[in-house]
Structures are given as C-alpha cells and as structure tokens.
Amino acid sequence: MQTRARSSQTIIELVQGDITHQDTDAIVNAANNSLLGGGGVDGAIHRAAGPQLLEETRTLGGCETGDAKISRGYRLKARYVVHAVGPVYRPNHPDVPRLLASAYRRSLEVAAEHDIHSIAFPSISTGVYGYPVAQAAPIAIATVCDFACSNPQFEIVRFVLFDSGTMRAFADALKHLIAQRPDLTDVS
Ligand code: AR6
C-alpha cells in the first residue's frame, strides 16, 4: 500500500488509527456549522479534549461550509484543533467537490497563521455526511499537495484514517496522484 509521499518540503503520510491520539501540532475536526460538537470524529475529539473545548467553540460564532476555525487542544496531545466543515454529499452537484477542497485548504491556511508545522486530518465528509471515499480521497490529497507547493511551513501532513476501507481508498488515490503529478514523489 502507498502510504508516504513528498510534495515540496512536506511529507504526506497515511496511517490507520484514531486522530485523538495524534501528537501533531494540530489535529483537524470534521465539524458541523454550529461547532458545538456532534457524533463521529467530532464527538471523539470533544470527549478527548474535555469540556473546555466546547466552552471555546461556543465563542467562535459557528463556521460556514468549506471554512475552518481554530481552537486550543486542551487535554489532547495536539496543541490546536482546526474545526473544518465539509459538505453534505449530493451526487453530481458542482459545489460539493469545491467545498470539500475548500475545507482542506482553509484548514491549512488557518493552521499556517499559527506556529504549526505538523497537522493530522481525518477523512472529512465521508462519514455522517455521506461523501463516497473513493471520490473524496483524491480531492483531499491533491488539495494538500497544491498547498504544500506554495507553503514550505508544513513538515508533515498526516491523514489518520479510521477503518481499513478508508485507508485503502486513500492509498489508491495517493498511488494514482504520484503517477500523475511530478511535484509528488514516492518516499515510502
Ligand atoms: N479518528 C479518525 N477518524 C475517525 C474517528 C477518529 N476517532 N472517528 C470517526 N472517524 P464523520 P463527516 C472517521 O462522520 O462525514 C459529526 O456529527 C469516520 O469513520 O466523523 O464530516 C459532525 O458534528 C469517517 O471516515 O464526519 C457533523 O455533524 C470520517 O472520520 C458530521 O458528523 C468522517 O466521519 C460531519 O460528518
């Protein structure tokens, strides 16, 4: 399985696991517009960070779909949580892939405004929001590569994928993108 590549100064890696255990500078939450918590990875992050996380996210004024906001990480190993809101999947709707790419790009832009050199993403929108992971994974990886090309600040962008099917879909997408993009090299 293809699990590591380099884009400019940034290592992009795929691991199967639980994002709440990551010791990257920041982890990304697949949140909803309210930023007041929910199920899936959002629920897991709020449980692991403790109640102070909700106290802070209450003050952030919600978040538009395709955008991201940052908070502290509280009891997490990660110092920051970037709360990204992906789109609910609708087949053949042109806004949906654009908003998914935007959620990844805005997360990286918000993180780049802080002293963050490593960041871990879950697979945004592919759980409760129903985005087919085979379609979402190439968008996720290509968006990170595009950002890495112009922002040498990130040393590691890690995708932390909860189940083996999601891991396989991201590994397939990474393999195909390495074959297509000269800026992405195999370092596995
Ligand atoms: N670590 C890594 N990935 C996880 C974890 C975890 N601990 N838990 C679940 N996943 P989802 P969405 C995976 O539903 O589709 C929430 O209620 C999961 O298997 O968490 O963007 C929010 O409040 C899947 O692959 O996020 C929103 O209302 C991926 O994370 C809504 O769900 C995303 O699944 C957002 O839906």
Side-chain angles (χ1 to χ4, degrees):
M1 244 192 313
Q2 186 74 51
T3 57
R4 262 166 87 85
R6 176 186 286 279
S7 177
S8 185
Q9 303 299 307
T10 307
I11 296 288
I12 296 169
E13 60 186 17
L14 315 180
V15 300
Q16 193 177 336
D18 183 335
I19 201 163
T20 64
H21 299 158
Q22 299 300 308
D23 62 0
T24 42
D25 295 333
I27 64 171
V28 177
N29 182 14
N32 58 53
N33 298 119
S34 77
L35 300 186
L36 299 180
V41 71
D42 196 3
I45 288 173
H46 275 270
R47 277 192 299 279
Q52 284 175 297
L53 179 59
L54 181 58
E55 278 174 35
E56 183 173 355
T57 59
R58 274 190 212 287
T59 69
L60 298 179
C63 186
E64 298 285 325
T65 304
D67 200 1
K69 294 202 176 165
I70 194 163
S71 73
R72 289 169 57 196
Y74 300 99
R75 292 184 199 153
L76 294 165
K77 289 183 193 160
R79 279 186 291 126
Y80 294 99
V81 180
V82 177
H83 304 268
V85 183
V88 175
Y89 184 67
R90 282 171 293 169
N92 304 317
H93 198 293
D95 283 347
V96 163
R98 180 180 64 74
L99 289 169
L100 183 65
S102 176
Y104 282 98
R105 188 172 50 252
R106 287 292 302 139
S107 297
L108 292 164
E109 285 171 359
V110 166
E113 291 163 6
H114 294 73
D115 189 29
I116 291 171
H117 302 284
S118 57
I119 187 165
F121 281 95
S123 175
I124 297 171
S125 285
T126 65
V128 174
Y129 282 179
Y131 212 123
V133 68
Q135 292 175 39
I139 294 171
I141 296 172
T143 304
V144 167
C145 289
D146 288 342
F147 193 86
C149 281
S150 47
N151 291 272
Q153 152 171 16
F154 289 101
E155 289 157 19
I156 294 178
V157 178
R158 182 179 298 155
F159 288 95
V160 181
L161 307 161
F162 208 42
D163 59 273
S164 58
T166 305
M167 180 72 188
R168 232 182 344 267
F170 271 74
D172 287 350
L174 187 59
K175 191 173 164 192
H176 282 113
L177 282 166
I178 288 171
Q180 282 168 15
R181 293 181 62 132
D183 57 314
L184 192 59
T185 54
D186 184 354
V187 291
S188 56

